[in-house]
């Protein structure tokens, strides 16, 4: 059973029932650090010096030099299933996508010179180039593959909900036959989705697909996600198992 502990600043910490009574012997506050809130309490030691004791460290009985990682990145979720002892390096591996990342995917950025999506990963203070890709999804998958291989359980993934089977299938789908214009997005596509481009005249997203030796118009849409979904639906109809999709994880 999960219980909540009231903090200051209208915040609550989530803890397991087994830890609730023990933690309630102190008053806890919400402390903001690096845009994240943590549950802390102040304790006075010798010579009237005060130091802050973090709830998640107390629960895990973390020793000096040990860090405690919040697996789901919710720093007020202090259930034991969401906490794990780790090193500084392991904690950094589970960091979320940086706020200055414009692609929305970890390890992925746009290379203007090559007009492709660049994928890289940081290993032991060195940034390793994983390659350049025609689509943002291909690049994001490439990061996930490298992160799983190098970081294991501490890897922060762009597609965490995919099973191993789905991940292998999706990766193969996106990397299939890059020269086949029927399936793969052209490198000069600025929408980020196969078969989707902005029609300047109507100011709508145009969707089309190349099938049976000709380009088939599928319609105009207010947003590119709708257009990308329609492309996927028709790609499955026209190309069946050979279809390279914008959202293969939802098929």
């Amino acid at each position: 059973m999960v219980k909540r502990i009231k903090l200051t600043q209208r915040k609550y910490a989530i803890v397991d029932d087994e830890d609730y009574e023990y933690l309630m012997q102190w008053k806890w506050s919400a402390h903001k650090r690096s845009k994240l809130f943590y549950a802390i309490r102040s304790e006075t030691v010798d010579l009237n010096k005060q130091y802050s004791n973090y709830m998640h460290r107390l629960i895990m009985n973390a020793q000096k030099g040990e860090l405690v990682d919040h697996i789901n990145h919710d720093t007020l979720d202090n259930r034991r299933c969401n906490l794990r002892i780790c090193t500084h390096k392991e904690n950094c591996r589970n960091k979320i996508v940086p706020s200055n990342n414009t692609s929305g995917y970890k390890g992925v950025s746009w290379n203007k010179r090559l007009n492709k999506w660049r994928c890289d990963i940081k290993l032991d203070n060195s940034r390793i180039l994983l390659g350049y890709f025609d689509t943002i999804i291909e690049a994001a998958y490439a990061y996930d593959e490298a992160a799983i291989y190098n970081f294991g359980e501490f890897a922060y993934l762009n597609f965490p909900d995919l099973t191993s089977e789905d991940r292998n299938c999706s990766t193969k789908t996106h990397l299939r036959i890059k020269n086949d214009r029927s399936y793969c997005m052209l490198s000069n596509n600025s929408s980020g989705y196969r078969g989707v481009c902005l029609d300047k005249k109507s100011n709508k997203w145009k969707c089309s697909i190349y099938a049976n030796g000709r380009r088939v118009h599928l319609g105009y849409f207010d947003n590119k996600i709708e257009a990308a979904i329609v492309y996927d639906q028709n790609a499955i109809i026209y190309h069946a198992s050979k279809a390279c999709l914008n959202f293969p994880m939802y098929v």
Side-chain angles (χ1 to χ4, degrees):
M1 184 181 296
V2 175
K3 289 193 174 180
R4 300 200 307 168
I5 294 180
K6 188 175 182 180
L7 312 173
T8 56
Q9 303 187 60
R10 298 182 180 180
K11 300 294 182 181
Y12 289 85
I14 302 174
V15 300
D16 291 315
D17 185 55
E18 62 189 270
D19 296 316
Y20 181 76
E21 293 298 332
Y22 173 67
L23 296 170
M24 284 302 292
Q25 64 182 301
W26 299 289
K27 289 186 177 180
W28 295 91
S29 303
H31 172 67
K32 192 174 184 179
R33 191 184 74 189
S34 301
K35 299 182 180 181
L36 298 173
F37 281 97
Y38 294 86
I40 69 168
R41 67 179 178 88
S42 297
E43 185 173 340
T44 303
V45 293
D46 295 338
L47 302 178
N48 294 321
K49 291 183 179 180
Q50 284 192 336
Y51 75 94
S52 296
N53 199 338
Y54 286 79
M55 183 184 290
H56 60 279
R57 292 185 60 82
L58 183 62
I59 292 172
M60 296 300 290
N61 192 29
Q63 303 301 305
K64 186 176 181 180
E66 292 182 329
L67 298 182
V68 178
D69 180 39
H70 287 82
I71 298 173
N72 68 3
H73 305 101
D74 182 350
T75 50
L76 293 179
D77 183 352
N78 290 328
R79 295 171 298 157
R80 290 179 180 269
C81 65
N82 189 46
L83 304 176
R84 57 187 171 191
I85 299 291
C86 65
T87 64
H88 175 71
K89 183 182 292 187
E90 289 170 334
N91 194 39
C92 289
R93 290 170 175 173
N94 191 35
K95 283 186 176 179
I96 61 176
V97 180
S99 59
N100 62 349
N101 181 312
T102 56
S103 73
Y105 294 101
K106 192 168 184 178
V108 178
S109 60
W110 177 248
N111 185 285
K112 293 182 180 179
R113 183 176 65 84
L114 297 178
N115 201 30
K116 288 180 178 288
W117 292 100
R118 172 191 168 105
C119 178
D120 56 40
I121 191 169
K122 191 173 183 180
L123 297 174
D124 299 324
N125 296 320
S126 298
R127 192 156 292 283
I128 309 300
L129 175 65
L130 299 176
Y132 294 93
F133 301 85
D134 291 335
T135 73
I136 191 173
I137 301 296
E138 286 176 337
Y141 274 128
Y143 175 86
D144 281 7
E145 293 267 316
I148 292 172
Y149 179 81
N150 290 283
F151 304 152
E153 64 175 308
F154 287 93
Y156 177 88
L157 303 177
N158 292 306
F159 307 104
D161 296 328
L162 291 184
T163 65
S164 298
E165 183 178 352
D166 289 338
R167 192 176 299 282
N168 291 334
C169 178
S170 298
T171 302
K172 290 176 182 178
T173 300
H174 278 284
L175 297 179
R176 181 189 292 120
I177 319 174
K178 290 190 176 183
N179 293 324
D180 191 331
R181 62 183 298 188
S182 299
Y183 307 140
C184 295
M185 188 180 77
L186 300 176
S187 60
N188 62 354
N189 185 316
S190 58
S191 73
Y193 296 101
R194 291 178 178 81
V196 180
C197 63
L198 182 64
D199 182 76
K200 295 182 179 180
K201 186 176 181 180
S202 64
N203 199 31
K204 289 181 178 290
W205 293 98
K206 178 180 177 179
C207 180
S208 61
I209 190 169
Y210 191 81
N212 300 325
R214 65 188 181 90
R215 183 155 296 281
V216 180
H217 176 64
L218 301 176
Y220 294 95
F221 303 86
D222 291 330
N223 68 70
K224 58 184 178 181
I225 302 296
E226 287 181 318
I229 292 173
V230 170
Y231 174 89
D232 282 7
Q233 292 170 342
N234 284 271
I236 293 172
I237 294 173
Y238 284 111
H239 305 309
S241 61
K242 293 183 178 181
C244 196
L245 307 175
N246 292 302
F247 308 106
M249 66 288 292
Y250 297 128
V251 175

